[in-house]
Amino acid sequence: MDNPFQRRATEFLRDDEAFLAIVSPEPVTFYLKKPGQAGRLYDRLVLMRGTPGSGKTTLARLFEYPSVGALLRNSSVSTYQALVGALSECGALKDEQPTVLGCRLPLETDYREFWEFPYPETLKLGLMAALIQARAVLGWLRHLAAGGVHPADIDIVPRTGAETIIEVIGGVKGDDVACRARAIERALYEVMGALIAPDEADLPPEATAAYQPFDIIERIRVRVGPDGKKRTLELRPLAILDDAHVLHPAQFRTLQRWLARRELRIARWMIARFDVLLPQEALAAVTEDRSEAARYPGLSQDRETEVVLLQSSGPRRENRTNFRRIAKDMAGRYLRRMPLLSSRDLTVLGDLLSDEEAPLTPSECRRLRESVDAAQRRLKVASSRRETFEREVAEFRVDRRPVAEDVGLAMVAVMLHRYDKRRGGPSLFGSEDDQEPSRPISANSSVYEAARLHLLQKFDRPYYYGIDDLCDASSENAEQFLQLAAVLVETSATQIIRSKPAYLSAATQHKLLRQRGEQIIDGWSFPQHLLVRRLATGIAARCVKVTAQPNGWLTPNAFGIRQEEFDTLPDAHPELAHVLQFGVAYNAITLVPHYPCKAKEWCLIELGGMVVLKHGLTLKRGGFVESTAQELTAMLEASRP
Amino acid sequence: MMKPRWARCIYHLELNTKKFLQLFLAEPHRRVLLIAGAGFDPRSTAVARLLSQHAGRRAQGYFLREERPRPDATLVSRADQNEKALRELIPNCSVARLDVFAADNAVVGGRKAVRLVSALALDDLTDLFVDFSALSIGVAFPIVRYLLTAAQCQGLNLHLVVADEPETDAEIRSTATDVADAIHGFKGGWGLDANSRAALLWMPQLATGKRSVLERIRQRVQPHAFCPILPFPADNPRLPDQLIEQYAEEFENTWRVDTRDIVYASERNPLDLYRTILRMDDSRKRVFSEIGGSQIILSPVGSKALAVGALMAALERDFTIMYVEALGYSADFASLDAIREDQTTELVHVWLSGEAYAPPRINRAAT
């Protein structure tokens, strides 16, 4: 059975309609609406950064001309209308006509090769820039041709003052420009692919010739429509340089600087993960909502670049809520591609995931009650006090519903231990002396959460279930969400085939999600993954230990180190900074900077969803164990082979 | 349809390799350069030992020690032992350290290896041997491509030798990078605008433990069609079935392989795969010539002997070879040693270029 959840969105790239059917308009609106409406997406360099699977390539692909064309062809179909609206809000469409001619250039590794050449840096940049430009030009023209535009109907509109040098790019006619670009590409390809780089003097003339279409082209004018009814469109070329993190960091900066020049008239986006940055920049990029460490003479960051972070930063609650919306929308689109489910009108993932609790078995419940009784005896808590706690628990409501019996018992156990702590130990006057605690103890959400986690740790009582938990466990990463959802959808489909109900019990969801989380971690193989895994495991182990404290005073899923210490990491602990950089880049951890707590400022190193699932920690944010850079470094040292 | 360059190829398998090398190297005018890996791989010294035995002082060595970030201490120690053994076997040798990765984790091993080998003086030699056994394909393939041209220009014999032990390969686990890319010198027109409409056929060589690597390559290639290569005949006759079982999800869900698409190639005979690939290329070229052409992408991630077959096909037709470089290796040497105790090293030899194919050119230095 084909499960679309198991395929990355980018795998649908070949067929525009199939691709558009699974793209949610939510991220487009969330990330690009504001800069698009302000016109900042097309008049300056846009830097998009995100973790793998955060939807960078999907966004880029959406702005490519063939997608825009397919969208407009199907604009009357209700599924696509939201996307048309989202692209219009971003300024890519106006009056149901495209305004940009987007072309995605995966930088992958070809361009990195130039850095290895024994040439001066200016020449290396020149060769790389020429190849990028030639391929962008070819991409634009190829997309127009695929959209049915005849080469004779394409004209280049040079920017003012560049008319005299238009011959450098082959002229103004589409065919001539393509011919020139093809020759340049071929010459550069041969240089790039040569086993041994040719001497500088032996470089072919096409490779070193002045070829600067980005400096010359302002618009591409096309005549579209049937003969006799042709209309003219003026499109702003958009070069989307995807996977720019593959470039050498210095090469990345040079290219960034080159693209940030104000005289360029074409729109240009650079999309990258965090790997390309130096640790101090990568960490700064996620610890400051709008940060660009690089400063260049004559360039002011705000005016020359627009930074879009496609991952958690800024207002966290808003991000989580927004991601839940995106994920649910995306899941609906994927479910519609599964006939087995869609034919039964099962196109809402939440409907497949039961959120009914799975209580302990009667024997487990009896064991739990005995342990609570034993705790009461050991702590010498008066019966009247326990009765008060039990009354409080009985009155406590979650979503207007009383808590289950087992959770209630676990809550009482937590409250007994909190009481013991706050009264300063058992009374000298026997167990029926009902002392008053220093602070009142109430059955609240913190006690409830601690109780559920204790039940998870002691009895493996299902904790992760329901659509919201699924979304939260994905660390706001679309690909991780799909990977987790895939296993649930697959199981649901299997149940349908076996004539069973499609919905999955809490116990099944919990088991599948934890298994999947572990599998994903086992499959990590990114740079520094061993050290990242050790670090994450070390943090998780301490969080588990703290969570298991009987008074449930804290349910952490993060380490917190003081912000001022964190700021010095790249210099004081460069290796740790490097590991953290990759941990962040690959969703193993999330940094929450400037987190206020106890009148101090902290930087939280929060565990990613997969680590949380594997180790059985809370999905709720904010709880952290105080730590130091030394402790984290020691975790790395302990792991050294 | 062009006649394959190595339609009539001199090659030897298993015991015949040793017999051939014994006779061939006994010729007193042979002056031999062995290029091999000086790594942790237990097969590192097998070919050097043979050359030392039969060519004695007429053999020179150039050993590449592939360096990867943060190697395991056991691997380093094993590599040290192998390097020492190689130096003892072929005293007239040099060892070069080769960083496979740049500081930013970009793969640069192939390019650097060619740079190192291109600096070698080949003037007073008659035969070049490249031992694949302990070299990664990202390093060995570019070297062979370079040496093939150099050997043809200078009238030298070029031989490929590999100690093929699929069980040893299976015991060595690798941690791959997350970037799939063409091997240096084997881009084969990948990414060129001229090939943008070509029908892409991906021929991955299936091997145990390579699922994630092949998945990465597939995501990069996004082929139109798949023809997975299975080793058959193989030492373990059930291996193809086991591999199909391991890759069942890919076969059914992502690759959607029809049973007629599977390519069976002899595990030990590189020529079998070489000829099959060329036949397929001939057929596809005919079919797709009018609609954008055909492009074949190879990914030889399994047995080294089969990788030699893929290399020969790529050398001849300029196919793209996509792979994922290993960031590091790990191995359980106790079980590896136990496996190797139970088996003899089987050598595969392919005479790639030189006097076997054309009248020998007189080497100035040799006269």
Side-chain angles (χ1 to χ4, degrees):
Chain A
M1 178 183 51
D2 185 22
N3 183 349
F5 285 83
Q6 285 177 338
R7 297 164 69 183
R8 303 181 74 201
T10 46
E11 289 176 37
F12 297 95
L13 295 189
R14 189 160 284 139
D15 179 46
D16 294 320
E17 270 79 7
F19 169 71
L20 291 170
I22 52 110
V23 175
S24 166
E26 297 286 346
V28 184
T29 309
F30 185 73
Y31 294 116
L32 303 180
K33 181 180 167 183
K34 279 184 195 163
Q37 284 179 336
R40 297 199 302 269
L41 283 181
Y42 312 110
D43 68 343
R44 67 197 70 191
L45 173 63
V46 175
L47 283 173
M48 282 192 203
R49 290 199 176 123
T51 54
S54 55
K56 302 182 295 294
T57 300
T58 306
L59 264 186
R61 176 68 174 86
L62 186 59
F63 280 80
E64 280 200 290
Y65 189 75
S67 310
V68 174
L71 201 55
L72 291 173
R73 276 198 304 277
N74 298 287
S75 59
S76 58
V77 181
S78 61
T79 330
Y80 296 145
Q81 282 167 355
L83 267 178
V84 172
L87 285 185
S88 302
E89 284 174 341
C90 299
L93 299 177
K94 194 177 175 189
D95 301 329
E96 299 224 346
Q97 292 295 336
T99 61
V100 292
L101 172 57
C103 160
R104 186 179 75 92
L105 285 181
L107 291 192
E108 289 167 342
T109 47
D110 276 1
Y111 304 85
R112 172 64 178 75
E113 302 262 0
F114 289 110
W115 193 254
E116 296 302 312
F117 289 170
Y119 306 145
E121 282 201 17
T122 46
L123 179 58
K124 288 196 277 194
L125 172 69
L127 295 173
M128 178 177 70
L131 185 60
I132 287 173
Q133 294 179 90
R135 284 188 166 165
V137 168
L138 289 168
W140 293 325
L141 298 176
R142 198 168 53 238
H143 286 337
L144 286 172
V149 181
H150 194 272
D153 290 331
I154 302 171
D155 286 316
I156 302 295
V157 182
R159 70 176 170 84
T160 315
E163 297 87 350
T164 51
I165 52 169
I166 192 76
E167 287 309 316
V168 165
I169 62 165
V172 292
K173 287 289 164 202
D175 266 347
D176 300 336
V177 173
C179 194
R180 173 80 173 134
R182 223 167 270 131
I184 299 281
E185 188 206 22
R186 172 63 75 176
L188 288 162
Y189 193 86
E190 277 168 17
V191 173
M192 188 174 63
L195 277 173
I196 298 178
D199 287 339
E200 198 178 327
D202 297 334
L203 285 169
E206 289 90 350
T208 50
Y211 180 73
Q212 295 146 341
F214 283 14
D215 287 86
I216 294 172
I217 301 173
E218 176 149 348
R219 293 277 191 279
I220 294 182
R221 188 179 295 137
V222 293
R223 283 171 293 285
V224 293
D227 287 339
K229 288 184 180 175
K230 285 201 187 289
R231 60 189 194 285
T232 303
L233 289 178
E234 289 231 345
L235 302 170
R236 182 196 282 266
L238 164 63
I240 306 171
L241 310 184
D242 199 1
D243 292 331
H245 52 268
V246 178
L247 299 177
H248 187 278
Q251 203 180 10
F252 180 91
R253 273 173 202 77
T254 321
L255 181 63
Q256 179 182 336
R257 184 178 177 177
W258 179 72
L259 287 171
R261 290 173 304 136
R262 265 186 266 173
E263 53 268 32
L264 299 186
R265 291 290 177 269
I266 64 148
R268 59 275 183 202
W269 296 358
M270 273 178 95
I271 302 182
R273 301 203 303 243
F274 288 94
D275 321 25
V276 72
L277 304 170
L278 297 171
Q280 56 267 39
E281 291 171 335
L283 298 183
V286 285
T287 54
E288 292 167 30
D289 289 349
R290 281 292 316 271
S291 98
E292 258 317 298
R295 290 278 183 271
Y296 303 112
L299 291 184
S300 91
Q301 279 315 123
D302 286 331
R303 288 175 62 194
E304 274 77 25
T305 57
E306 175 72 20
V307 179
V308 178
L309 281 185
L310 300 178
Q311 70 180 61
S312 193
S313 74
R316 306 218 306 149
R317 190 183 298 269
E318 191 189 325
N319 279 344
R320 186 166 258 195
T321 312
N322 180 63
F323 180 76
R324 285 181 182 177
R325 200 169 57 239
I326 293 172
K328 288 172 191 173
D329 181 65
M330 202 162 56
R333 287 168 189 274
Y334 277 71
L335 284 174
R336 280 195 281 276
R337 295 180 60 85
M338 297 183 74
L340 188 67
L341 294 160
S342 59
S343 62
R344 288 165 174 78
D345 214 16
L346 294 169
T347 53
V348 178
L349 185 57
D351 292 349
L352 301 179
L353 309 178
S354 164
D355 56 2
E356 208 166 287
E357 287 189 84
L360 299 183
T361 61
S363 68
E364 286 172 334
C365 229
R366 194 170 54 249
R367 270 173 44 215
L368 175 63
R369 185 176 295 283
E370 284 165 7
S371 76
V372 178
D373 294 344
Q376 184 194 354
R377 282 195 300 276
R378 192 177 65 253
L379 300 173
K380 294 181 180 161
V381 178
S383 304
S384 56
R385 180 64 64 176
R386 176 169 171 176
E387 281 161 18
T388 312
F389 291 159
E390 283 171 343
R391 267 198 308 278
E392 281 223 25
V393 168
E395 285 163 15
F396 180 70
R397 293 287 181 272
V398 179
D399 295 335
R400 296 183 196 164
R401 283 186 295 187
V403 294
E405 184 195 356
D406 51 355
V407 178
L409 275 170
M411 286 177 76
V412 169
V414 170
M415 292 170 85
L416 288 173
H417 285 93
R418 285 192 179 185
Y419 169 73
D420 183 53
K421 201 93 175 167
R422 291 182 195 175
R423 72 176 173 180
S427 168
L428 294 171
F429 303 104
S431 61
E432 287 311 307
D433 177 25
D434 193 8
Q435 300 159 276
E436 278 307 313
S438 56
R439 273 186 299 137
I441 288 130
S442 55
N444 54 23
S445 57
S446 140
V447 173
Y448 173 72
E449 183 65 10
R452 288 182 67 220
L453 285 163
H454 286 170
L455 291 177
L456 164 67
Q457 290 184 336
K458 287 176 190 160
F459 299 97
D460 198 24
R461 184 186 192 272
Y463 177 83
Y464 306 108
Y465 53 87
I467 182 73
D468 287 345
D469 278 3
L470 172 63
C471 296
D472 296 350
S474 311
S475 301
E476 290 159 33
N477 181 282
E479 192 176 342
Q480 289 200 161
F481 170 77
L482 291 174
Q483 285 180 332
L484 289 177
V487 68
L488 299 178
V489 170
E490 182 107 348
T491 310
S492 178
T494 308
Q495 291 194 176
I496 291 175
I497 292 167
R498 291 179 179 167
S499 304
K500 289 180 180 172
Y503 71 85
L504 303 177
S505 68
T508 307
Q509 294 174 54
H510 173 85
K511 189 178 114 198
L512 292 172
L513 287 176
R514 292 198 71 181
Q515 278 174 354
R516 190 77 187 107
E518 190 159 357
Q519 279 171 4
I520 290 173
I521 292 175
D522 288 345
W524 281 354
S525 60
F526 50 83
Q528 305 281 351
H529 73 279
L530 289 175
L531 292 175
V532 170
R533 186 178 302 173
R534 288 297 179 103
L535 193 69
T537 307
I539 295 174
R542 271 216 50 204
C543 290
V544 167
K545 211 170 165 183
V546 173
T547 303
Q549 296 282 316
N551 63 348
W553 67 284
L554 187 64
T555 50
N557 58 11
F559 263 26
I561 62 175
R562 297 285 297 278
Q563 186 66 45
E564 56 263 33
E565 187 179 18
F566 183 85
D567 292 339
T568 63
L569 276 191
D571 296 323
H573 301 276
E575 190 168 17
L576 174 61
H578 200 53
V579 174
L580 285 176
Q581 178 191 357
F582 281 96
V584 172
Y586 290 87
N587 300 308
I589 52 172
T590 306
L591 296 180
V592 186
H594 308 290
Y595 187 83
C597 185
K598 297 183 189 170
K600 289 172 191 158
E601 208 171 51
W602 302 82
C603 181
L604 303 193
I605 300 163
E606 203 171 68
L607 295 170
M610 302 307 123
V611 186
V612 164
L613 286 176
K614 180 180 174 182
H615 293 275
L617 294 165
T618 180
L619 288 169
K620 297 205 165 21
R621 291 160 157 179
F624 69 93
V625 178
E626 291 179 21
S627 183
T628 58
Q630 278 80 6
E631 187 183 2
L632 293 170
T633 308
M635 288 177 183
L636 301 183
E637 289 300 321
S639 70
R640 198 163 302 291
Chain B
M1 200 183 303
M2 282 186 298
K3 188 182 169 195
R5 175 179 182 170
W6 287 290
R8 292 170 187 274
C9 180
I10 311 291
Y11 70 101
H12 302 90
L13 308 178
E14 301 160 9
L15 281 177
N16 291 327
T17 303
K18 288 180 186 168
K19 280 186 197 159
F20 167 77
L21 289 180
Q22 186 179 356
L23 291 171
F24 185 78
L25 295 172
E27 294 176 11
H29 72 282
R30 302 268 167 220
R31 276 180 295 281
V32 177
L33 171 67
L34 170 66
I35 297 173
F40 68 90
D41 194 306
R43 293 165 291 188
S44 296
T45 54
V47 175
R49 183 162 288 115
L50 204 63
L51 260 63
S52 156
Q53 204 177 331
H54 301 303
R57 291 191 173 182
R58 288 178 284 114
Q60 297 173 33
Y62 187 70
F63 303 120
L64 291 167
R65 188 147 169 183
E66 295 180 19
E67 302 281 1
R68 290 179 167 76
R70 300 170 193 281
D72 185 280
T74 323
L75 299 186
V76 175
S77 146
R78 288 275 181 152
D80 289 341
Q81 287 170 25
N82 286 337
E83 184 185 324
K84 192 174 166 221
L86 286 167
R87 284 181 188 277
E88 283 165 8
L89 286 167
I90 304 183
N92 183 9
C93 74
S94 57
V95 178
R97 292 187 179 258
L98 174 71
D99 285 323
V100 176
F101 291 92
D104 61 333
N105 280 322
V107 180
V108 293
R111 189 174 283 278
K112 284 192 172 177
V114 172
R115 210 179 293 158
L116 288 170
V117 170
S118 68
L120 295 175
L122 308 176
D123 292 344
D124 58 346
L125 299 168
T126 59
D127 293 83
L128 304 170
F129 281 81
V130 181
D131 176 10
F132 269 52
S133 315
L135 286 172
S136 58
I137 62 166
V139 169
F141 281 24
I143 290 177
V144 172
R145 170 150 250 169
Y146 171 79
L147 288 179
L148 183 61
T149 313
Q152 282 167 343
C153 291
Q154 299 191 36
L156 305 176
N157 296 316
L158 177 62
H159 308 260
L160 307 185
V161 194
V162 59
D164 190 44
E165 295 174 10
E167 287 183 343
T168 305
D169 285 328
E171 275 298 309
I172 298 172
R173 289 175 296 279
S174 61
T175 302
T177 60
D178 59 351
V179 179
D181 192 21
I183 290 180
H184 178 56
F186 290 85
K187 285 188 185 297
W190 177 257
L192 267 180
D193 181 68
N195 292 332
S196 60
R197 288 176 57 232
L200 303 177
L201 171 69
W202 181 41
M203 298 185 70
Q205 181 189 339
L206 302 194
T208 303
K210 298 289 182 187
R211 277 182 70 190
S212 60
V213 163
L214 291 178
E215 176 55 20
R216 262 170 225 169
I217 300 174
R218 184 192 68 82
Q219 284 177 8
R220 171 84 194 266
V221 174
Q222 300 208 2
H224 297 98
F226 300 81
C227 281
I229 300 165
L230 287 171
F232 190 80
D235 278 0
N236 171 8
R238 290 214 54 214
L239 185 59
D241 292 342
Q242 288 164 355
L243 288 170
I244 290 173
E245 203 178 322
Q246 285 172 33
Y247 287 84
E249 198 180 308
E250 284 81 2
F251 271 43
E252 282 183 22
N253 279 334
T254 40
W255 302 0
R256 295 182 189 168
V257 175
D258 186 289
T259 47
R260 289 167 297 182
D261 297 334
I262 296 173
V263 171
Y264 292 97
S266 170
E267 186 181 43
R268 285 274 161 81
N269 187 344
L271 271 295
D272 187 17
L273 179 61
Y274 159 75
R275 288 171 183 145
T276 305
I277 296 172
L278 293 200
R279 264 200 311 275
M280 291 175 70
D281 184 49
D282 287 335
S283 317
R284 284 176 62 85
K285 270 186 181 149
R286 230 180 13 249
V287 173
F288 292 105
S289 59
E290 297 300 316
I291 48 169
S294 155
Q295 197 172 7
I296 291 182
I297 296 103
L298 304 171
S299 294
V301 298
S303 127
K304 290 263 173 81
L306 280 178
V308 170
L311 165 69
M312 292 167 71
L315 286 171
E316 181 162 341
R317 298 277 169 93
D318 197 21
F319 294 134
T320 305
I321 300 188
M322 259 319 156
Y323 87 130
V324 177
E325 186 55 83
L327 199 58
Y329 292 102
S330 62
D332 176 0
F333 282 100
S335 78
L336 196 59
D337 293 342
I339 287 171
R340 299 198 76 242
E341 265 177 28
D342 297 339
Q343 63 182 20
T344 51
T345 301
E346 303 288 3
L347 293 178
V348 176
H349 164 251
V350 178
W351 190 339
L352 210 59
S353 166
E355 61 199 66
Y357 301 97
R361 283 176 52 184
I362 296 167
N363 190 331
R364 274 177 291 126
T367 52

